[in-house]
Structure formats: C-alpha cells, structure tokens
Amino acid sequence: SGVHGEIVNIGSGTSISIQELADLISPLQELGPARRGDAANTLADITRARELLQWEPAVRFEDGLRELKESMAAEFAEPCVA
C-alpha cells in the first residue's frame, strides 16, 4: 500500500485533560501538582489516519477505557496457573 513507513496517530480525535483521564481511571486517586512541562490536555491529531487509511474512531475513549478496565479486572481476578 502507499502508506508503508508513514507515521500515523491513532486516537479518539477528542481532547481529554489529564485530570479527566485520571478520574476515568480511578475517581479515588489524587492528581499531584503539575510539573513544569506537563501537558494539561492530550489530543491525538488523527488527520493523517483519516486521509491515508480512511480510518475513523469506532469507540468513544471513555467506552474503550471502561472495556479495558473490565477486561483487565476479569483477567487478574482469575488465579494464575503455572
């Protein structure tokens, strides 16, 4: 294909603050003070994914994170057999 070697961001296409992300991961945690150079928000520019791959996000960030948390909880809840 014509995209070999191209760098492409994959993301939700929506901005989320670090505080919002921390709250989604666990509302009980406390986010410490920001350090110089810390990003306040994150946003993957998915323009190239749209243009080169005709790609669009199919899952909202919050839904994907919830699914990941549920999957991890289920996996780690099962006893590990060696």
Side-chain angles (χ1 to χ4, degrees):
S1 73
V3 297
H4 180 74
E6 295 290 334
I7 297 171
V8 178
N9 290 326
I10 301 296
S12 68
T14 58
S15 179
I16 184 168
S17 75
I18 301 303
Q19 183 64 58
E20 289 170 315
L21 176 59
D23 290 342
L24 287 170
I25 293 170
S26 173
L28 303 177
Q29 68 181 330
E30 294 182 25
L31 191 60
R35 299 172 293 182
R36 193 179 81 199
D38 280 353
N41 295 288
T42 61
L43 173 63
D45 181 353
I46 60 173
T47 303
R48 289 177 57 81
R50 287 181 167 134
E51 292 172 353
L52 298 175
L53 306 173
Q54 290 73 52
W55 180 86
E56 289 292 331
V59 177
R60 287 182 44 238
F61 181 83
E62 295 84 352
D63 296 336
L65 183 60
R66 187 189 72 254
E67 289 176 24
L68 174 63
K69 287 170 57 176
E70 290 170 358
S71 173
M72 291 177 69
E75 182 166 334
F76 289 109
E78 296 180 18
C80 184
V81 178

